[in-house]
Amino acid sequence: MNGLAGWWADLAVRERGLVLAGAAVMLASSVFLGVLEPLSEHNQQREKALLAQSANLRWLEEQRPLVAAGRGVAPLGPDAGRSILAVLNEAASVEGVAAQLKRVTPTSEQQVMLSFEEVPYANFMRWLLTLESQRGARVERIHLERAALPGQINVELTLGLP
């Protein structure tokens, strides 16, 4: 007989019951702390994220009519002989995002990186729509993040230009 079996055989019936009860409590605690509690926390985090995304969706849906109406959008005129930076600055002025345009870095003749801070979302989207529809610009890379004030975002994007 090995050591554990001998030890078990030497225990009284009451002691065996106590050891089994202790083992059952440890097993139940391990299952709860190792499986059920993390799943519960994960579900709570997902519910919070879903609520936040639902609020964002509601806000975006409220902004849709403003963007679709194209309020303040005006044609910019021909670009012949103008630098891309001049076109971007003029479009930013028309859409009311020039003050939030913090950095413009040309990466090539056909590409430029831009950074905006605390720009109103609707104005930024109108500006971007204007560049895409009237200038043929295409978004190569974009990173949006919520700014401190509601309805405003921080943006870093790379535009490809024709």
Side-chain angles (χ1 to χ4, degrees):
M1 212 185 267
N2 69 26
L4 186 59
W7 173 79
W8 183 257
D10 289 342
L11 292 178
V13 175
R14 181 180 281 174
E15 290 172 333
R16 287 180 191 168
L18 286 173
V19 169
L20 287 175
V25 167
M26 285 184 58
L27 179 64
S29 297
S30 297
V31 168
F32 177 76
L33 294 174
V35 177
L36 298 177
E37 183 66 20
L39 284 176
S40 175
E41 287 179 21
H42 180 73
N43 283 342
Q44 289 173 356
Q45 290 173 350
R46 301 308 304 162
E47 286 176 10
K48 287 180 184 177
L50 180 61
L51 289 174
Q53 291 298 325
S54 296
N56 284 343
L57 179 62
R58 281 191 303 277
W59 183 83
L60 287 171
E61 290 296 331
E62 291 170 4
Q63 301 306 311
R64 182 188 301 241
L66 297 174
V67 174
R71 185 177 53 169
V73 174
L76 298 177
D79 294 337
R82 295 175 62 202
S83 77
I84 189 58
L85 299 178
V87 172
L88 290 173
N89 282 333
E90 185 176 340
S93 295
V94 168
E95 296 304 332
V97 297
Q100 291 83 22
L101 181 58
K102 299 301 179 188
R103 186 178 58 219
V104 179
T105 309
T107 57
S108 71
E109 287 187 28
Q110 303 299 319
Q111 204 172 47
V112 64
M113 289 176 41
L114 302 124
S115 291
F116 291 87
E117 291 180 7
E118 297 180 350
V119 61
Y121 176 80
N123 293 1
F124 172 77
M125 285 301 174
R126 277 195 302 271
W127 171 80
L128 191 56
L129 180 63
T130 299
L131 286 177
E132 287 181 337
S133 65
Q134 296 179 3
R135 305 289 174 230
R138 65 191 179 288
V139 175
E140 301 286 334
R141 183 190 69 82
I142 189 166
H143 175 74
L144 304 170
E145 100 183 1
R146 189 182 307 186
L149 296 174
Q152 293 184 347
I153 56 175
N154 297 325
V155 183
E156 290 183 10
L157 77 149
T158 302
L159 285 178
L161 304 158

